[in-house]
Amino acid sequence: QVQLVESGGGLVQAGDSLRLTCTGSGSTINTLFMSWFRQAPGQERVYVAGFSRTIWKSPIYGESAKGRFTISRDDSKKMLYLQMNSLKPEDTAVYYCAFASSGGGTYDYWGQGTQVTVSS
């Protein structure tokens, strides 16, 4: 059984930084198949960061994260991180960790989410 738990969210000022952590459990977890998503109120859930399936292990980022966020991992500890710098009010959302057990594009396991709120 797979379980994902996010932590590290909070209320910050614009320009501040946060580091989110996803802690996984379950023998099938591979952090290369884990990604970060976010969802703001009234908006669709969007991709934030993950790892390429074509250029193996290369980090990839959604447009809003490029140049400001950094994804990293520790596969031995089954942990995934998202360092978020230069936060903007538009980054306010619930951030989710997800795992694709098949290694493809279907994310079949999700954490409960952690709230990030950025004030002006």
Side-chain angles (χ1 to χ4, degrees):
Q1 181 170 287
V2 172
Q3 184 178 18
L4 305 172
V5 179
E6 303 96 334
S7 62
L11 173 62
V12 298
Q13 297 285 327
D16 211 342
S17 299
L18 284 173
R19 189 175 82 156
L20 305 183
T21 298
C22 176
T23 302
S25 62
S27 61
T28 63
I29 286 181
N30 183 336
T31 57
L32 287 172
F33 303 150
M34 295 169 65
S35 301
W36 290 101
F37 292 78
R38 73 186 188 189
Q39 186 170 24
Q43 301 183 23
E44 65 180 357
R45 185 173 296 176
V46 298
Y47 184 88
V48 176
F51 300 96
S52 176
R53 269 60 160 174
T54 55
I55 306 176
W56 190 239
K57 299 189 290 186
S58 179
I60 54 175
Y61 299 97
E63 186 64 31
S64 64
K66 291 180 179 178
R68 299 187 299 125
F69 296 0
T70 302
I71 189 170
S72 59
R73 65 191 185 93
D74 186 336
D75 198 54
S76 66
K77 298 179 179 179
K78 299 180 180 180
M79 299 183 75
L80 187 75
Y81 308 95
L82 184 68
Q83 178 66 44
M84 305 188 294
N85 298 326
S86 301
L87 284 162
K88 305 174 181 179
E90 64 197 71
D91 296 318
T92 296
V94 177
Y95 285 71
Y96 297 92
C97 176
F99 173 56
S101 62
S102 68
T106 300
Y107 292 90
D108 44 355
Y109 295 95
W110 296 81
Q112 82 289 344
T114 185
Q115 177 71 48
V116 173
T117 302
V118 185
S119 63
S120 300

